[in-house]
Amino acid sequence: MPFEYKTQVTAHDIDTNCLATPTSIIKYMMEAVDRNMLNAKPSYQELMDKGLSFIVSRTAVEVFRPLKEYEDITVQTWATPSKNVSFPRSYVIKSGEETVAQGLAIWALVDTNEGRLIRGSEFSTDAYGTAEAITLNIPSRFKLPDIPFEKCGQREIMYSDVDRNFHMNNTKYFDMLFDYIPNREKIFMSSCLVNYIAEAPIGKTVEIFISNPEKTDGSDEIIYYFKTEIEGSTNIQARIGIKYI
């Protein structure tokens, strides 16, 4: 049975169209995980106290329509048991009975003392509530295509960007990338796939590169590819889908 919590799109979650920003949508999903772990135990902090840390390695999210200011939503999440070093997490955002967004994230559990990945046979997610992973209408993974990229910006990682691990919070990337897509005020994020390759520590500068837009076959979705680098090494890779409002 999934864990769920109810919340509302606030005035601090929206863009100029009074619609939830890309980062806000991902935050609702990530907040569900933290609340699930806090409620069911062990919590994220309790794991950290034992030298263990969940780190997201891959995210896939599809958004069926924008979320509006002050819209009441229910966010659901559940874990899928792992047989290797990948710990899947599924997410659903509902407005009433309508599914507005859904996603799948792949997490790794790291032993920070020994610097190794924990296998599913060593850690059970049963306490969090488990079920089969959600099936998306988009690919759950992607490989960055061999296409031209143009540098579109850079960002120094500041204190307000980082989480308790002192690297950029995984939710912060979405608004950062979306800012470089043209006609921001006329579009919404309809899908996103992100490969988290390396952390972005506080004080480092992230360089951002964007591709030309691609139209998807049989859809009104437009795709942009991104890659970010820190000191010449890959930070993340992303495939962002947009649709016009």
Side-chain angles (χ1 to χ4, degrees):
M1 184 174 181
F3 171 84
E4 67 177 39
Y5 83 100
K6 298 182 184 299
T7 189
Q8 187 179 73
V9 179
T10 75
H12 306 283
D13 299 337
I14 61 171
D15 60 15
T16 55
N17 296 297
C18 296
L19 302 175
T21 66
T23 280
S24 294
I25 293 170
I26 307 303
K27 280 183 176 180
Y28 302 144
M29 295 181 174
M30 296 299 107
E31 178 67 16
V33 177
D34 284 351
R35 291 180 182 229
N36 181 201
M37 295 178 69
L38 183 63
N39 179 270
K41 307 295 183 183
S43 69
Y44 192 90
Q45 186 60 51
E46 287 169 340
L47 287 177
M48 287 194 69
D49 293 342
K50 296 179 181 179
L52 300 175
S53 180
F54 272 113
I55 297 175
V56 65
S57 63
R58 193 170 78 243
T59 295
V61 172
E62 53 185 340
V63 181
F64 302 114
R65 69 159 174 84
L67 287 166
K68 302 173 183 178
E69 184 181 21
Y70 298 124
E71 188 166 359
D72 294 317
I73 58 175
T74 300
V75 189
Q76 300 176 335
T77 186
W78 64 93
T80 297
S82 172
K83 296 180 180 178
N84 46 40
V85 294
S86 297
F87 291 82
R89 267 279 182 178
S90 299
Y91 312 90
V92 174
I93 298 178
K94 290 189 173 185
S95 177
E97 295 300 316
E98 178 191 8
T99 296
V100 181
Q102 57 187 22
L104 177 67
I106 304 300
W107 297 75
L109 183 58
V110 180
D111 185 323
T112 56
N113 294 322
E114 297 182 8
R116 69 180 183 90
L117 297 176
I118 300 296
R119 302 186 67 84
S121 58
E122 301 175 80
F123 183 86
S124 173
T125 56
D126 288 352
Y128 303 132
T130 60
E132 290 297 316
I134 196 168
T135 300
L136 303 177
N137 300 301
I138 59 174
S140 61
R141 65 175 70 207
F142 81 104
K143 183 178 180 181
L144 202 66
D146 184 16
I147 55 177
F149 284 84
E150 178 183 358
K151 183 176 178 179
C152 55
Q154 64 182 39
R155 178 190 182 103
E156 182 181 355
I157 305 304
M158 307 295 287
Y159 197 86
S160 59
D161 296 316
V162 300
D163 55 24
R164 70 188 89 191
N165 296 308
F166 284 88
H167 61 253
M168 189 169 182
N169 189 294
N170 68 81
T171 65
K172 296 291 184 75
Y173 286 100
F174 297 88
D175 280 353
M176 180 184 76
L177 298 180
F178 211 70
D179 278 339
Y180 292 101
I181 296 178
N183 299 317
R184 166 73 190 262
E185 72 280 5
K186 300 177 181 179
I187 57 177
F188 73 96
M189 185 182 75
S190 51
S191 67
C192 63
L193 290 87
V194 179
N195 299 326
Y196 296 93
I197 309 299
E199 298 172 350
I202 189 170
K204 296 293 184 178
T205 298
V206 174
E207 296 183 296
I208 305 162
F209 301 84
I210 190 173
S211 73
N212 288 324
E214 295 182 358
K215 188 72 179 292
T216 55
D217 293 336
S219 171
D220 55 353
E221 186 177 54
I222 299 171
I223 302 297
Y224 287 86
Y225 290 95
F226 287 90
K227 61 180 180 178
T228 62
E229 297 180 354
I230 299 176
E231 297 176 347
S233 297
T234 302
N235 167 224
I236 69 165
Q237 301 169 339
R239 176 187 183 274
I240 306 293
I242 64 103
K243 290 184 179 180
Y244 285 93
I245 299 169

